[in-house]
Amino acid sequence: MTSPLPPGETLSQPVLNPPASIAVFLVATIEPGGETAVREALGSLAGLVRSVGFPSPDGGLGCVAGVGSRAWGRLFGGLRPAELHPFRELAGPRHHAPATPGDLFFHIKAARTDLCFALAAELVRRLRGAVTVRDETQAFAYFDSRNLLGFVDGTENPVGPPAADAALVGEEDPAFRGGSYAMVQKYLHDVDAWEALAVEAQEKVIGRTKLTNLELDAPGSHKDVNTVLGPDGSEQKILRSAMPFGRPGHGEFGTYFVAYARTPGIPETMLRKMFLGGPGSGPDPLLDYSRAVTGSLFFIPPADFLEALPEG
């Protein structure tokens, strides 16, 4: 595959922006007759983000918007992204990756909770009656980039040009160059069972040391299972955007996982290895303590696509 265009030649949504400390994730389905309102909201999204964020330039407000396979034809005419399809449910011998409804995806992020809240509230107001919100998750950065299991998350994320190469569509689909695919899953953790393990046992599950985040030689670990090699033996990369969320009073502790990828084939291969196992390895041992409760796939159109939407 040829690389995406250099920065400045393709206007992408803020997929590649550094992680923020606060996020709100919204997944919605479109009601019959709601297409016009949704198109108007998508077309005005960039201006809405500027308006809400302008008084607080240090807040770093941004929003990534995605569209699911079943909604694409309802909203836009003409071409569709080459690899856009519904999320593929996986049912293994012990673990299940469910496919859940999702036509629209919004990843709102900022350094401040009030900015994320204000943007989410205005989006929901504009879409009232046109969509049904299926999931709303408020997430946050936790200590030094750790998840609620206590381990550093996102260590293997590419940065700079390799991040663009991993996450953005290139010449293989020229009509949608600069877009991205977003695989979205919500995981709930059994923290009581996890914390009952000795630290050494936790480290064998993850494949890294807990305190220092050093990689371990741990075949079959979470890290090992999530490594995908290409035909030439090189590691295939995605851009992970996982954030913790929770409600301690409700016993809810989780990770909201988003994989931004140039092709959905790479995160789908990872999921198959995680849930179904593969040659020489069983399913991901982390799934004994983390349960997937949602699963959707979206295409993230280039920003200039949203600002000049094709006729529906």
Side-chain angles (χ1 to χ4, degrees), residues 38-73:
V38 170
R39 283 174 54 86
E40 290 175 354
L42 291 174
S44 63
L45 180 60
L48 177 59
V49 173
R50 287 193 295 269
S51 295
V52 175
F54 181 79
S56 308
D58 59 339
L61 180 64
C63 181
V64 173
V67 178
S69 177
R70 293 186 177 92
W72 189 271

Side-chain angles (χ1 to χ4, degrees), residues 92-105:
R94 302 205 321 265
H95 308 296
H96 178 216
T100 51
D103 294 331
L104 298 174
F105 170 63

